[in-house]
Amino acid sequence: MDERFNRWLLPPLLALLFLLIVYQYVSPACPGAACARRPPASAARRGGAPAEREEEEEAAAGTSEEEEAAEAAAALPRLVAKFPFARGELCRRVRFDMRGRDVIVFLHIQKTGGTTFGRHLVRNIRLEQPCYCRAGQKKCACHRPGGDKDTWLFSRFSTGWSCGLHADWTELTSCVPAAMERRGCAGNRTLRNFYYITMLRDPVSRYLSEWKHVQRGATWKTSLHMCDGRSPTPDELPTCYEGDDWSGVSLQEFMDCSYNLANNRQVRMLADLSLVGCYNLTFMNESERNMILLQSAKNNLKNMAFFGLTEFQRKTQYLFERTFNLKFISPFTQFNVTRASNVDIGEDVRQRIEELNFLDVQLYEYAKDLFLQRFQYSKQEEHQKNRLKRREERRLLREQRAHQSPREEAAEVAVTEDYNSQVARW
C-alpha cells in the first residue's frame, strides 16, 4: 500500500517542482516594487545610468584636458623673458588682403639671410595666383589674383631695388608709396596698407659674413642712403678704401675703419635716421645719438608686422604663416655651416667685434627675446584652440549619445515585453 501511494505521489510533486522552476525564470514582471527594473544591455555596456555615465565622461574629459595642458606645457621649452611685452605686441595677426590694396614690404639688411627669405616669398608661398618667374631672371611678377596687375609684394625679387640698393627703414617709409604709384599701379596710395617685414642675424656672425663678402669684392657703393630728401656728403660718409672695391681686405683692416657701415648696421637700417640728423655726426653728441638710434630701432622692429631670425628658420616660417595666414610649400632649411661659421677667430677678436657692434648686440638680444616670446605665445594659443576644439567635439558626442539612449532603451523594452508575452502564451 505504501509503495503504491508513493508511486502515485511522486509524479505530481516532480511536476510541481518543475513548474516552480519554470515560473521563476519566465515570470513576466516583478510584483509591486519588490525588484528594480534591469537596465538595458546597451546602457550597461556604456557604464550604467545616463546621469552616472555623464558624470564619468565629464570626469574623464577633465582629466584628459589636464593631461593635454600638461603635455602642451612640457612640449614648449621654458622661456625666461628678459623684456616685458604687452599681449598686443606678442599676438601678431594681419588680415592680409591680397586681392585688395595690402602690400608686404621687405626690408633687406645685408648678410641676414634676406636673399634666401626673399626667394621664399616669390617662389615658395602657396598662392591662388603664384608669382611668375622667368628662367634666368631674378625678378618675378607677383600680381594680385583676379587679373589685377598691381603687386602685393615690394622686394628685391619682385619690384627690384626701386628705392635704392638695400634701402633702410628711413628710405623705404618715405619712398615706397611714391614708388608704387610710379610703377603705374592703380588705386589711391592712401588706400594701401604697407606691412613691413625684415630678417635679423646674430651680430658677430653677420659682421664676419659681411667682411667675407666685401673681401670677395662687394661694395654696395650704389646705395643712396637717402635721408631728409638727400644723400650724405663725402665728408658725412667717407669710404674705407680707395679704388673700385675693398677686395682682399683683412679682418683687422675691416675692423680698424671707424666709419665702416658694417658697424651696427642692423640698428642703423632699422632706426629713423632723421631723429639724429641723418649722417651728420655733429648734430648731437655720440652717446645721445646711440641711445636714440637704439630705441628707434627697437620701436620700429616691434611695430613691424613681422620679423624673423636667421638662427631660427623653422620658427621664422611658423610665425610668418601665422601672421599673414599664408602657407609655404616647402619647409625652411636651417644651415648651420656658413662662411661666417668657418672663420676661426679668438675670443679677443670676438670681443672686439662685439664692441664695434654694441648697439646691434643690444638690439639682437631684444629681438631674440621678443621673437621667442611671440613663438611661445602663438604655440600656447594654438594648443588652447585645439583643446577647445576637442572639448566641443566631446560635448557634441555626449549630446549625440543622449539622443540615442532613449530610443535604444525603448527598443530594448519592446523586445523584452514581446519575449515575455510569447513565453506567457507558451
Side-chain angles (χ1 to χ4, degrees):
M1 180 71 180
D2 290 338
E3 289 179 7
R4 199 178 345 178
F5 177 79
N6 290 336
R7 194 182 307 130
W8 285 101
L9 183 61
L10 186 59
L13 289 175
L14 292 174
L16 180 61
L17 181 61
F18 176 78
L19 289 174
L20 288 174
I21 294 173
V22 171
Y23 182 82
Q24 180 180 356
Y25 280 95
V26 300
S27 176
C30 294
C35 59
R37 181 184 173 187
R38 186 173 154 189
S42 59
R45 285 194 301 269
R46 290 194 300 269
E52 296 174 356
R53 189 168 65 252
E54 186 174 348
E55 290 177 0
E56 292 175 1
E57 289 179 352
E58 287 178 355
T63 304
S64 177
E65 288 174 9
E66 291 175 1
E67 292 175 352
E68 289 172 1
E71 289 175 2
L76 292 173
R78 181 174 177 79
L79 176 64
V80 180
K82 298 179 181 179
F83 299 91
F85 295 104
R87 179 182 178 278
E89 295 167 343
L90 299 179
C91 180
R92 308 302 283 180
R93 298 290 182 276
V94 173
R95 294 182 177 178
F96 187 70
D97 185 8
M98 190 169 290
R99 289 181 171 273
R101 297 299 175 209
D102 293 353
V103 181
I104 293 177
V105 181
F106 180 34
L107 194 164
H108 184 172
I109 301 174
Q110 289 95 315
K111 314 314 295 178
T112 59
T115 299
T116 300
F117 185 76
R119 289 198 180 102
H120 280 305
L121 293 177
V122 297
R123 297 179 182 270
N124 193 30
I125 297 183
R126 198 179 305 279
L127 299 171
E128 179 182 351
Q129 180 174 328
C131 297
Y132 175 67
C133 304
R134 289 185 177 180
Q137 294 188 1
K138 290 184 177 181
K139 290 198 300 181
C140 303
C142 296
H143 296 150
R144 302 184 189 277
D148 192 344
K149 296 301 182 182
D150 193 9
T151 183
W152 57 268
L153 177 63
F154 192 98
S155 75
R156 166 191 180 183
F157 291 114
S158 58
T159 56
W161 301 113
S162 300
C163 290
L165 179 62
H166 286 286
D168 55 30
W169 189 92
T170 306
E171 293 175 286
L172 287 176
T173 52
S174 61
C175 165
V176 168
M180 290 291 289
E181 295 302 315
R182 288 197 304 269
R183 289 179 57 84
C185 302
N188 191 325
R189 74 180 66 177
T190 59
L191 299 178
R192 298 184 189 279
N193 296 314
F194 296 107
Y195 296 102
Y196 287 83
I197 65 174
T198 194
M199 291 287 294
L200 295 182
R201 186 179 181 182
D202 170 75
V204 175
S205 297
R206 198 214 64 80
Y207 188 86
L208 290 172
S209 181
E210 180 165 342
W211 162 59
K212 296 297 289 184
H213 198 57
V214 170
Q215 191 182 56
R216 295 192 302 272
T219 63
W220 302 299
K221 60 185 177 182
T222 58
S223 297
L224 301 177
H225 303 297
M226 293 290 292
C227 179
D228 286 348
R230 68 176 183 87
S231 295
T233 65
D235 291 336
E236 292 173 332
L237 190 61
T239 60
C240 290
Y241 57 90
E242 297 179 356
D244 295 334
D245 55 43
W246 209 3
S247 299
V249 59
S250 68
L251 180 57
Q252 188 62 49
E253 291 173 324
F254 195 74
M255 293 188 296
D256 287 344
C257 181
S258 59
Y259 33 85
N260 189 344
L261 289 179
N263 301 340
N264 295 310
R265 180 180 289 279
Q266 295 179 103
V267 165
R268 189 185 68 256
M269 291 189 67
L270 289 174
D272 183 358
L273 298 181
S274 62
L275 298 176
V276 294
C278 300
Y279 293 89
N280 181 9
L281 301 183
T282 63
F283 186 79
M284 60 178 62
N285 65 67
E286 184 178 1
S287 61
E288 184 181 5
R289 176 186 175 87
N290 290 336
M291 182 182 64
I292 293 174
L293 284 174
L294 179 60
Q295 191 58 49
S296 176
K298 287 181 177 181
N299 290 337
N300 291 336
L301 183 72
K302 179 179 63 179
N303 294 326
M304 280 184 169
F306 163 84
F307 72 88
L309 299 182
T310 308
E311 290 74 20
F312 300 94
Q313 290 292 318
R314 292 296 178 88
K315 290 182 174 66
T316 294
Q317 176 181 354
Y318 173 81
L319 286 178
F320 181 90
E321 291 177 339
R322 293 273 292 180
T323 301
F324 290 97
N325 195 27
L326 295 171
K327 295 294 182 181
F328 290 100
I329 300 170
S330 302
F332 287 15
T333 303
Q334 185 71 55
F335 294 105
N336 294 320
V337 178
T338 62
R339 287 190 175 91
S341 67
N342 289 329
V343 177
D344 187 18
I345 58 173
E347 187 59 31
D348 55 336
V349 175
R350 175 174 290 277
Q351 290 181 0
R352 173 63 175 154
I353 295 175
E354 289 177 348
E355 291 172 0
L356 291 172
N357 294 272
F358 72 102
L359 295 179
D360 273 10
V361 169
Q362 296 178 70
L363 176 66
Y364 187 79
E365 181 184 20
Y366 175 88
K368 183 178 178 180
D369 189 60
L370 175 56
F371 178 86
L372 293 178
Q373 285 195 52
R374 282 180 176 175
F375 176 78
Q376 187 172 62
Y377 181 90
S378 296
K379 279 293 185 181
Q380 290 173 344
E381 188 179 52
E382 183 180 21
H383 290 321
Q384 177 66 15
K385 183 178 179 180
N386 291 336
R387 284 200 298 272
L388 292 175
K389 181 180 179 181
R390 287 191 290 268
R391 183 187 300 174
E392 180 66 15
E393 289 174 351
R394 286 192 290 264
R395 185 187 67 80
L396 294 175
L397 183 60
R398 284 198 299 269
E399 290 181 356
Q400 183 180 3
R401 287 175 175 175
H403 288 307
Q404 290 177 350
S405 181
R407 291 196 296 270
E408 292 176 356
E409 292 176 2
E412 290 260 356
V413 171
V415 171
T416 303
E417 290 179 351
D418 182 64
Y419 173 75
N420 290 334
S421 65
Q422 293 293 331
V423 171
R425 286 168 53 190
W426 294 339

